[in-house]
Amino acid sequence: MADLLTPGAIATIMNGDEYPNPVVQILGTKPVPCKEGQEQRYRLLISDGRHLNSYTMLATQLTPMLQQGELVDYTIIKITNHLVTKINKNDDKGPTRILVIIDLVVVKHGSEVGEKIGNPCHAGDTNQPKEAMQPPTTPARPSSSSSSSVSNGTGNRRSIDITHFNSPMASKTHPIVSLSPYQNNWVIKARVMTKSPIRTWSNAKGEGKLFSVDLVDESGEIRATGFRDAVDKFYELLEENKVYLISKCQLKMANKKFSSLKNDYEMTFTDDTRIVPVEEDDTSIPTIQYNFVKLDAIQDSAAGQLIDFVGVCKAAGDIVNLTSRTTNRELKKRDLTLVDQSKAAVTLTLWGNQAEDFNTDGNPIVAVKGGKVGEFNGGKSVSLIGGSAFHINPDIPEAHRLRGWYDGLAGDTKFTSISASADGGSSGKWCTLAEAIDEKLGYGDKADYFNTYTTVMHVKTDRCVYKACPTPECNKKVIDQNTGQYRCEKCNQEFESFKYRIMLSMNIGDFSGTQWVTLFHDAAEEMLGAKGDQIGRWQEEESSEFGEVFKKITLKPFTLRLRAKVENYGDESRLKMVVMSAKPPDYKDRCRRLVAEIKQLAGLSS
DNA sequence: CCCCCCCC
């Protein structure tokens, strides 16, 4: 096993020399104390069989590997990408060199190794004679596939001694992936993917203005923000799609809530920050980088997550004006329906100018970076937020593929909507009543929604309408004072009128079983095809119409959208199902689903 | 140092 290691590698690296793909053994790991809210970082003790090094850090993107148990003690790893950085400790011993592992491959898991290899000792300092530090004549086999996309021709070692930034021709730049708060002596050569508008803020802590740019190079991406003076200094200089040499920024932990960029850090421009445009466009620097997910995967994304995706705009709603309930601001929004090859359809909400300026002609391709997943009525949708990038018909392979796919699509192609429409329209799964019970729908933390074909077995008509507070937003039952006045306890007010509200209980059934369900006002009106006030008056007048309205739906089939949720009453819990919407059955759709199900059961589905 | 990003 000892021959797996590359003795001498540690000394070579810590002396500042190059050593490709060193293979070392992990002999210890420990978390580094960090501030609250910061991502945990780990320090390692490694051995190359000859020397130990405890000044080794794991790049944060490798933290999950460690936390998942892949980097236990005795594990042998090949370091496929690393950098050496100096930190000044507050003593007189001069700077300490830290080895930062950026990428690695597990050669042999610690459980298979089970012991310390050789008898390594702490290397002296870097003042040892250089001759003693040369790598062996047969270094470890080069890595065939490093997961890092860095290929700037400088090998694995990241030079850290770039101080010649005075010249924009500075040839040695650092990959974005290597930036960390531990080291500020770097220059990156990066392209501006997107630039935000200037925004102002005003809060208890003060006021100011800011903007941010998302930067990219071959190795990765990072967001940079300029505040106040930095806005005046850099906003005009930085243009989308142009390449710049940038140095002397402050790095801090990124808040993933506001950026989908693949970087644990983000940077802030400081008074020392230098930004120099690169006049000749360097085509080796990529343009915007997307981490696309297929639209059907959005179904499984958590609300609040930021995602990148691309789709064809199949349909667009009107521009809608509304007032924010929380901020009272006037808002404009527009919902687009996007589709892709996964046959999923998802709603993308545009706001403000983007809603107004969007042109639906020719079913444009829409690419989004950093769209925010939302949840409504059991469906998932995406909304553009401040940090999102939004590109129409981008010149990227995925967009061309989508265009070709969509243009060749049969006109009657069906898509599965994973977003709920505002009218409670269909989305999500279909199942029978028995399947809903078997699958324990409604037993999770959140309510479950499903669609079902069912027949109305029985409607309970007693107490199905009640007199409610006439205030538009209040639907509380009023107390009839029998003086022509109706009292609402919630509004603490008496009114001369009321409105009828419906709350209906009914039993529904299909071949698999039956279920008691509740319908509130809007769904009940939809299903009964009559207004609550009308039904209330029929009841008052003891009109035969009252009975007729319920008879009309009894033993009739419907497509229902149901909400299932367990509710607790004291120590008793009961599964409650509420009808969100009721539509006459679409037999064509019903048949299509049954045929698909039969094919699947028969093993004939493709 | 922002970090609000809205609605059904």
Side-chain angles (χ1 to χ4, degrees):
Chain A
M1 212 117 43
D3 57 348
L4 288 174
L5 302 184
T6 51
I10 287 175
T12 305
I13 291 165
M14 300 313 278
N15 191 42
D17 288 323
E18 242 172 79
Y19 195 108
N21 299 317
V23 179
V24 300
Q25 186 180 31
I26 296 171
L27 293 176
T29 60
K30 69 173 182 183
V32 178
C34 63
K35 284 185 198 145
E36 202 177 322
Q38 279 193 353
E39 222 155 313
Q40 184 64 60
R41 289 179 70 94
Y42 287 86
R43 185 172 167 177
L44 308 186
L45 175 63
I46 58 168
S47 155
D48 61 9
R50 186 181 301 165
H51 290 120
L52 296 165
N53 185 38
S54 65
Y55 291 107
T56 300
M57 296 282 293
L58 205 57
T60 46
Q61 63 265 30
L62 300 176
T63 299
M65 255 182 125
L66 186 142
Q67 288 172 340
Q68 286 156 22
E70 291 179 65
L71 304 179
V72 298
D73 288 1
Y74 306 133
T75 298
I76 299 173
I77 58 170
K78 178 161 74 183
I79 301 171
T80 54
N81 195 356
H82 69 269
L83 63 91
V84 177
T85 180
K86 284 186 218 168
I87 57 162
N88 285 310
K89 289 199 192 168
N90 287 329
D91 57 28
D92 46 11
K93 288 181 191 153
T96 303
R97 283 189 167 165
I98 309 276
L99 169 62
V100 181
I101 301 177
I102 296 172
D103 217 337
L104 64 83
V105 175
V106 173
V107 175
K108 218 173 179 62
H109 190 262
S111 60
E112 292 176 62
V113 181
E115 58 174 11
K116 180 167 84 173
I117 297 170
N119 192 19
C121 58
H122 275 281
D125 56 25
T126 52
N127 299 325
Q128 289 182 33
K130 266 199 152 190
E131 292 74 42
M133 312 271 181
Q134 293 311 307
T137 45
T138 50
R141 269 179 292 135
S143 155
S144 53
S145 66
S146 159
S147 67
S148 164
S149 56
V150 181
S151 56
N152 58 6
T154 57
N156 278 332
R157 195 174 68 88
R158 306 289 166 213
S159 168
I160 55 151
D161 296 314
I162 304 282
T163 47
H164 315 295
F165 187 46
N166 291 332
S167 158
M169 299 305 287
S171 59
K172 278 196 173 179
T173 56
H174 295 69
I176 284 175
V177 72
S178 73
L179 302 188
S180 80
Y182 308 103
Q183 211 277 99
N184 196 25
N185 210 358
W186 48 258
V187 182
I188 57 166
K189 186 177 185 181
R191 188 184 300 277
V192 175
M193 287 194 283
T194 57
K195 179 170 84 165
S196 79
I198 298 169
R199 203 178 77 233
T200 56
W201 84 87
S202 170
N203 59 27
K205 281 183 245 168
E207 56 187 53
K209 57 181 175 180
L210 72 126
F211 80 107
S212 63
V213 284
D214 289 349
L215 304 168
V216 63
D217 73 3
E218 292 170 283
S219 78
E221 44 188 13
I222 193 164
R223 177 164 296 175
T225 305
F227 293 96
R228 304 180 216 265
D229 293 350
V231 177
D232 303 326
K233 227 161 136 187
F234 298 126
Y235 188 78
E236 293 302 327
L237 175 67
L238 288 167
E239 291 178 50
E240 275 186 15
N241 264 321
K242 291 209 173 163
V243 177
Y244 300 83
L245 289 166
I246 301 173
S247 71
K248 298 262 188 269
C249 299
Q250 185 192 0
L251 274 113
K252 58 172 188 175
M253 297 305 293
N255 188 335
K256 299 283 179 193
K257 229 174 111 185
F258 304 109
S259 165
S260 70
L261 299 200
K262 281 206 165 143
N263 202 319
D264 291 334
Y265 303 114
E266 59 186 32
M267 23 193 239
T268 306
F269 299 141
T270 67
D271 289 342
D272 299 328
T273 295
R274 297 223 30 204
I275 303 179
V276 178
V278 175
E279 293 308 335
E280 303 158 59
D281 190 327
D282 187 336
T283 51
S284 71
I285 310 285
T287 52
I288 191 164
Q289 283 194 322
Y290 294 99
N291 306 299
F292 287 133
V293 298
K294 284 282 164 209
L295 297 185
D296 64 346
I298 296 173
Q299 208 158 14
D300 304 317
S301 305
Q305 226 183 296
L306 300 182
I307 54 167
D308 303 353
F309 57 93
V310 61
V312 182
C313 177
K314 188 171 180 290
D318 297 328
I319 299 170
V320 176
N321 290 295
L322 53 98
T323 309
S324 164
R325 208 175 281 171
T326 45
T327 62
N328 267 331
R329 262 193 293 176
E330 288 290 321
L331 304 169
K332 279 186 202 309
K333 73 148 191 169
R334 188 169 196 193
D335 282 345
L336 311 184
T337 302
L338 304 187
V339 296
D340 74 357
Q341 298 94 328
S342 72
K343 298 286 178 72
V346 67
T347 300
L348 171 67
T349 305
L350 310 182
W351 300 93
N353 291 338
Q354 284 171 326
E356 288 186 298
D357 299 344
F358 187 74
N359 182 356
T360 59
D361 293 346
N363 297 99
I365 309 285
V366 172
V368 172
K369 187 176 174 66
K372 189 175 149 193
V373 177
E375 193 165 17
F376 176 64
N377 260 352
K380 294 276 169 58
S381 58
V382 187
S383 186
L384 289 190
I385 62 166
S388 309
F390 173 68
H391 289 278
I392 298 155
N393 292 324
D395 186 14
I396 54 173
E398 289 89 347
H400 299 304
R401 270 200 293 277
L402 269 170
R403 170 60 62 219
W405 162 79
Y406 191 76
D407 289 348
L409 208 59
D412 60 347
T413 304
K414 287 283 167 190
F415 294 93
T416 307
S417 172
I418 62 163
S419 310
S421 62
D423 63 5
S426 80
S427 80
K429 64 180 286 155
W430 287 79
C431 62
T432 66
L433 294 174
E435 282 166 346
I437 300 297
D438 287 349
E439 291 172 28
K440 293 236 170 274
L441 295 187
Y443 283 82
D445 292 337
K446 278 178 281 181
D448 290 311
Y449 293 79
F450 67 100
N451 304 296
T452 193
Y453 290 97
T454 189
T455 299
V456 175
M457 309 303 289
H458 177 72
V459 184
K460 271 174 87 162
T461 57
D462 54 320
R463 294 199 305 268
C464 70
V465 287
Y466 64 93
K467 291 171 178 154
C469 177
T471 310
E473 286 312 305
C474 179
N475 295 320
K476 179 139 183 77
K477 188 173 175 173
V478 289
I479 302 158
D480 192 340
Q481 310 282 57
N482 291 318
T483 58
Q485 298 280 312
Y486 302 89
R487 177 166 177 76
C488 174
E489 294 285 342
K490 194 171 164 191
C491 299
N492 194 21
Q493 207 179 327
E494 289 194 2
F495 299 96
E496 291 184 350
S497 66
F498 61 84
K499 67 189 178 215
Y500 276 113
R501 296 282 297 178
I502 316 175
M503 197 172 89
L504 207 55
S505 184
M506 66 172 67
N507 191 255
I508 57 172
D510 62 18
F511 69 89
S512 74
T514 62
Q515 175 69 43
W516 281 96
V517 296
T518 304
L519 287 88
F520 295 105
H521 192 77
D522 295 336
E525 284 188 339
E526 180 186 23
M527 192 164 182
L528 295 168
K531 290 285 171 198
D533 273 325
Q534 180 70 73
I535 297 169
R537 266 181 275 119
W538 283 333
Q539 187 183 40
E540 245 176 78
E541 296 158 8
E542 295 179 19
S543 158
S544 62
E545 299 268 17
F546 179 75
E548 285 300 317
V549 77
F550 301 108
K551 215 169 132 189
K552 249 183 5 210
I553 64 161
T554 304
L555 297 176
K556 293 288 190 303
F558 284 90
T559 294
L560 300 184
R561 180 167 173 74
L562 287 164
R563 175 190 197 274
K565 179 87 185 84
V566 166
E567 286 180 11
N568 297 309
Y569 304 92
D571 54 356
E572 192 197 346
S573 60
R574 217 180 304 159
L575 178 64
K576 291 261 291 187
M577 289 201 193
V578 174
V579 175
M580 306 305 292
S581 78
K583 305 227 176 322
D586 175 344
Y587 293 111
K588 214 171 145 186
D589 180 64
R590 168 73 162 149
C591 289
R592 200 165 22 233
R593 287 180 197 285
L594 285 174
V595 168
E597 208 176 320
I598 291 166
K599 275 188 180 168
Q600 194 160 24
L601 287 169
L604 297 170
S605 55
S606 46

